[in-house]
Amino acid sequence: MGHVVAGAVFRDGRVLLAQRTRPPELAGRWELPGGKIEPGESAEQALARELREELGIEVRGADRFGPPVQLGSDLVMCAYRVDLVSGEPRPLDHAALRWVDAKELEQMDLVEADRAWLPALRDMLAG
Ligand code: CDP
């Protein structure tokens, strides 16, 4: 079973979403940035690597929230709250980035899998 990590970065009552460019069926839809854990990596290390590669930021921590999501038969994905250490996020691997508050989150066209985390994200944005 492969593992995918997705990172939630919070700032000023908003969470950072990224707009996918691929595959065609997901292009244009929004997600928490992340990717597959590589052999030998912890979830925290994978998050740090993926967010460095995709956003040009340094993050640390990996505070899991919400339910795990099954992606097909051989991948499971978990969401983690991470702390922004340095850098200003840039869309190095996405079409665009957006900081959204609880209200804007409801309007975003999220990829289906990430919708499982909406209740938890709502709570974290409210509190
Ligand atoms: O680049 P890498 O192959 O490591 O990761 P990816 O292609 O971004 O993500 C691996 C799988 O997780 C794909 O099937 C993505 O659609 C899915 N994914 C997702 O559903 N929601 C996310 N927030 C991140 C990834």
Side-chain angles (χ1 to χ4, degrees), residues 16-36:
L16 184 63
L17 296 182
Q19 188 178 35
R20 290 193 66 102
T21 60
R22 62 175 190 278
E25 60 272 22
L26 294 181
R29 301 184 70 186
W30 295 80
E31 67 175 7
L32 294 179
K36 296 190 191 80

Side-chain angles (χ1 to χ4, degrees), residues 4-7 20 22-23 26 30-38 49-50 53-54 69 71 75 77 93-94 111-114 117:
V4 177
V5 292
R20 290 193 66 102
R22 62 175 190 278
L26 294 181
W30 295 80
E31 67 175 7
L32 294 179
K36 296 190 191 80
I37 299 185
E38 291 180 354
R49 177 182 50 75
E50 289 284 351
E53 289 172 1
E54 297 184 356
V69 181
L71 299 171
L75 273 184
M77 177 172 70
D93 193 45
H94 286 89
V111 301
E112 212 52 53
D114 293 35
W117 303 321

Side-chain angles (χ1 to χ4, degrees), residues 53-95:
E53 289 172 1
E54 297 184 356
L55 307 172
I57 59 174
E58 294 299 322
V59 302
R60 76 170 154 237
D63 187 11
R64 201 169 82 73
F65 67 90
V69 181
Q70 189 75 36
L71 299 171
S73 56
D74 58 355
L75 273 184
V76 64
M77 177 172 70
C78 291
Y80 300 83
R81 181 175 186 137
V82 299
D83 294 320
L84 179 57
V85 175
S86 64
E88 182 62 29
R90 288 169 294 146
L92 304 176
D93 193 45
H94 286 89

